[in-house]
Amino acid sequence: MEMKVMDFIDMAASNEFFKLVVLVIVFDTIFGVLRAVREKKFNSCAGIDGAIRKIGMIVSLVFMLAIDMLVKVNLIGFIPEAARNQLGLNSVGMAEFFALLYIAYEVVSIFKNMALCGLPVKSVWKKVRELLGKYTDELPDTDGLDGNSTTGSVEGYRQQEK
């Protein structure tokens, strides 16, 4: 069966994991830019490094979707059973596996940026980080929130009034 380029683009665009990765990248970029404006300097989300990382995520997912079409690999065994049951997953290809990792990474970054923008989400950020910490040590740095960087800690930022 021959697949044309437009068919592949339609297939990628209809992949829910791909859509979620794009969505979290957009949210992380928005809050990263807001944080950069607040701090009056570039950060890992609004600078060139962040842009390269985000473009790399999208490009790698496109290639992994193509590989998934050619080679059927089920990586469900690498997903913790609790997460597998919560998400209702029966099989996970390479693209979906890495999409889940990218989503987890970006969600932590989104909450970090929201907290550093002064939004009252620090407790949510801690819970998300704690939950994801059960499954991986590969999470974004927390220097800005822990007070271990030149940007200070989240306590130094005034939170939005309720």
Side-chain angles (χ1 to χ4, degrees):
M1 183 170 118
E2 183 179 316
M3 179 178 256
K4 297 182 176 152
V5 173
M6 290 308 293
D7 294 333
F8 177 76
I9 291 171
D10 289 340
M11 187 266 307
S14 65
N15 183 298
E16 295 300 319
F17 289 96
F18 191 82
K19 289 178 189 178
L20 285 172
V21 169
V22 171
L23 186 66
V24 294
I25 285 174
V26 168
F27 277 109
D28 189 41
T29 302
I30 290 169
F31 286 109
V33 168
L34 292 173
R35 179 178 146 210
V37 169
R38 180 181 181 144
E39 294 174 350
K40 296 178 180 67
K41 65 180 180 180
F42 287 111
N43 58 47
S44 63
C45 296
I48 190 70
D49 290 340
I52 290 169
R53 185 183 77 242
K54 291 170 190 322
I55 291 169
M57 287 179 190
I58 299 294
V59 170
S60 69
L61 282 180
V62 169
F63 281 113
M64 284 186 266
L65 283 169
I67 291 170
D68 282 343
M69 290 176 53
L70 298 172
V71 181
K72 301 295 183 200
V73 177
N74 188 359
L75 299 174
I76 193 75
F78 290 100
I79 306 295
E81 191 171 341
R84 192 182 323 161
N85 293 337
Q86 184 70 27
L87 296 171
L89 299 174
N90 296 321
S91 69
V92 175
M94 285 178 33
E96 288 86 5
F97 179 77
F98 279 92
L100 288 170
L101 297 175
Y102 295 159
I103 291 165
Y105 184 90
E106 290 295 296
V107 165
V108 172
S109 182
I110 289 166
F111 281 111
K112 174 185 174 183
N113 285 325
M114 290 173 77
L116 291 172
C117 283
L119 297 173
V121 295
K122 186 175 181 190
S123 62
V124 175
W125 171 83
K126 283 183 178 179
K127 287 180 181 163
V128 168
R129 185 163 175 78
E130 180 182 305
L131 173 74
L132 294 175
K134 291 179 185 176
Y135 304 113
T136 182
D137 292 332
E138 301 294 325
L139 293 171
D141 69 85
T142 60
D143 291 347
L145 291 171
D146 296 336
N148 299 328
S149 76
T150 57
T151 60
S153 70
V154 73
E155 281 81 18
Y157 290 89
R158 200 181 105 222
Q159 291 192 348
Q160 182 180 9
E161 299 297 322
K162 294 181 180 177

